[in-house]
Amino acid sequence: METIKRNILLNPGPATTSDTVKQAMVVPDICPRETEFCDIMNSIKLDLPKVVNGQDDYVAVLFASSGTGGVESAITSAVPKDGKMLIVENGSYGTRMCKIAERYSIPYISYSIAYGDYPDVKAIELLIKNDKSITHLAVIDHETTTGMRNPVQAICDLAHKYNIEVIVDCMSSYAGLEIDLQQWKAEYIISSSNKCIQGMAGLSFVIFKKSLLDKIKGNARSFYFDLYEQYSGFQKSGQMQFTPPVQVVYALRKAMDEFFVETLPGRRARYRQNYESLYNGLENLGFRFLLPEAQQSGILLAILEPKNPEYNFDVMHDFLYHRNFTIYPGKGAKEATFRLSVLGDLHKSDIEGFLSTLSDYLVEVRINKLVY
Ligand SMILES: Cc1ncc(COP(=O)(O)O)c(C=O)c1O
């Protein structure tokens, strides 16, 4: 096979993938109703919970959609008609959950703080105490808006103390950060094929407690994203209800095989090393960051935009893009930022190459010292 040009994506997914994952998509055409394909789907379904210590008490359901589809499925299937949500909103993905609830007329209140502020679990408890009708709490694990890792364990413990079920968006943490469902005991988590698991975009998945199946039957407000129907349909026929993105499924199978070879500690260590190289390199160039180190996920940095008149994000983006490095703008954090992520098939030399090219950009636009 021809060599495929390797772009270094520092946006938080879709991520840089290995050549072998790219090549896994080039397969003979196949009807997804054939056993050969169903076996692959089934193996993925069984392996997804293993990544987060799901064991036998959790099951996985896949949808042909981007990650938001999975979030939409969990929310609109989990919350019963007389239920109410409490949504932790400290980034744009928390806001997106509020928008989903709003669109489906699901009652909710939000714990809303600035994008980049750390959730105060005591304040969340106060909201729960003041509203006995809350049945579900939803939170983002790694808030990709800011790079913050939210205190999910504490939030799960709190919710369970009040018999509230928890929905956690693990889009940019699944397979990149330690998630132990035996510890969290979260009822639902969601992720997608194209972030830390390092597959291609096109599949979302919800991993949830098997014991909830009877409870969610008939809850769904959406036809396509009905979690119960998608699960039970697959159990009956071994097939997805609707056409899957066949080649993306092959790529996800390959990406999962590569994950199990690298192992979670191995991937964590690689991401951590890349993150530290990036952090130190940026700091040496004079950049500053949105979050204190203790709140950083270790996967994504929200970098404060310098005040130099010569600095311009779009110019910097284009300079880097034409040299194979893709960077990402900010998304409404409490201070103006741009973002860089180390998720994906990235290695030390990629980060070193990026830092040296970023330094070339600063020279090109005649910035000697960054101003804040
Ligand atoms: C935390 C989080 N939630 C949800 C999403 C939405 O995923 P998608 O763009 O695949 O729909 C993202 C995407 O970056 C994310 O980071």
Side-chain angles (χ1 to χ4, degrees):
M1 184 172 289
E2 254 177 69
T3 328
I4 310 168
K5 182 172 165 244
R6 188 157 181 277
N7 288 331
I8 307 303
L9 303 188
L10 299 168
N11 52 299
T16 299
T17 52
S18 64
D19 282 354
T20 34
V21 165
K22 291 185 205 30
Q23 283 154 2
M25 289 196 298
V26 185
V27 287
D29 296 325
I30 185 166
C31 168
R33 310 236 169 261
E34 292 301 329
T35 314
E36 191 185 332
F37 184 80
C38 295
D39 288 348
I40 292 177
M41 285 295 309
N42 194 44
S43 74
I44 292 175
K45 193 197 93 169
L46 295 176
D47 279 349
L48 284 169
K50 292 181 189 161
V51 173
V52 284
N53 198 16
Q55 299 185 7
D56 289 342
D57 42 350
Y58 283 86
V59 288
V61 166
L62 287 129
F63 291 98
S65 79
S66 81
T68 304
V71 179
E72 190 156 332
S73 170
I75 290 178
T76 58
S77 301
V79 185
K81 300 288 183 294
D82 57 353
K84 183 169 182 178
M85 296 180 75
L86 166 55
I87 299 172
V88 177
E89 186 186 12
N90 65 336
S92 60
Y93 296 105
T95 304
R96 187 171 294 180
M97 283 180 153
C98 296
K99 287 183 181 164
I100 293 171
E102 233 160 72
R103 182 60 62 91
Y104 285 94
S105 303
I106 296 172
Y108 78 95
I109 55 167
S110 62
Y111 168 70
S112 301
I113 52 177
Y115 290 6
D117 280 357
Y118 197 70
D120 174 357
V121 178
K122 287 209 174 72
I124 299 175
E125 181 160 23
L126 211 57
L127 291 175
I128 294 175
K129 277 185 175 161
N130 287 337
D131 191 341
K132 301 273 181 294
S133 58
I134 292 166
T135 55
H136 289 75
L137 192 156
V139 62
I140 313 295
D141 178 19
H142 170 212
E143 190 30 280
T144 325
T145 311
T146 55
M148 180 179 288
R149 184 125 208 236
N150 280 324
V152 173
Q153 181 70 63
I155 289 173
C156 286
D157 291 348
L158 171 70
H160 291 146
K161 186 169 129 191
Y162 292 91
N163 279 327
I164 292 169
E165 292 180 8
V166 188
I167 301 170
V168 191
D169 172 339
C170 295
M171 211 64 70
S172 56
S173 54
Y174 177 90
L177 293 173
E178 197 72 58
I179 296 171
D180 187 341
L181 286 179
Q182 302 305 316
Q183 299 284 329
W184 280 8
K185 298 185 168 46
E187 276 70 15
Y188 305 83
I189 72 159
I190 307 110
S191 192
S192 69
S193 51
N194 57 270
K195 294 202 191 282
C196 304
I197 195 68
Q198 298 182 181
M200 297 294 167
L203 284 162
S204 68
F205 46 89
V206 183
I207 298 172
F208 64 101
K209 279 189 181 162
K210 200 176 178 179
S211 57
L212 293 166
L213 273 166
D214 283 347
K215 204 170 167 187
I216 62 171
K217 188 175 178 181
N219 268 358
R221 284 106 174 139
S222 159
F223 176 70
Y224 188 85
F225 288 117
D226 186 328
L227 199 54
Y228 178 84
E229 288 298 330
Q230 187 79 338
Y231 178 80
S232 55
F234 193 86
Q235 291 304 102
K236 272 184 222 131
S237 67
Q239 298 169 10
M240 296 265 272
Q241 291 197 91
F242 315 108
T243 308
V246 174
Q247 289 73 11
V248 172
V249 169
Y250 281 99
L252 179 57
R253 181 62 268 167
K254 185 70 185 165
M256 295 194 75
D257 291 344
E258 293 184 358
F259 170 83
F260 288 121
V261 170
E262 186 172 21
T263 72
L264 182 63
R267 185 154 298 182
R268 289 272 294 119
R270 177 166 59 81
Y271 281 16
R272 189 78 218 170
Q273 193 190 41
N274 288 342
Y275 171 83
E276 279 168 10
S277 306
L278 187 63
Y279 187 102
N280 294 334
L282 290 167
E283 204 172 41
N284 287 342
L285 289 172
F287 285 100
R288 295 191 190 165
F289 309 106
L290 177 73
L291 298 183
E293 181 56 15
Q295 295 169 5
Q296 301 273 9
S297 64
I299 286 189
L300 178 138
L301 275 166
I303 299 136
L304 297 177
E305 295 212 278
K307 303 232 174 345
N308 305 59
E310 300 88 354
Y311 166 83
N312 177 292
F313 176 80
D314 293 331
V315 174
M316 178 169 73
H317 168 274
D318 292 353
F319 183 93
L320 291 160
Y321 185 77
H322 291 120
R323 290 159 181 79
N324 292 351
F325 297 102
T326 301
I327 64 168
Y328 212 52
K331 201 168 166 48
K334 60 183 177 180
E335 291 181 70
T337 62
F338 68 96
R339 292 174 294 165
L340 296 173
S341 162
V342 296
L343 71 86
D345 183 48
L346 300 175
H347 303 272
K348 197 165 178 250
S349 56
D350 299 323
I351 305 299
E352 286 167 357
F354 167 73
L355 288 166
S356 135
T357 313
L358 180 61
S359 166
D360 292 346
Y361 156 76
L362 295 175
V363 172
E364 171 95 359
V365 298
R366 297 174 201 283
I367 295 181
N368 297 323
K369 187 176 185 312
L370 293 169
V371 177
Y372 281 100

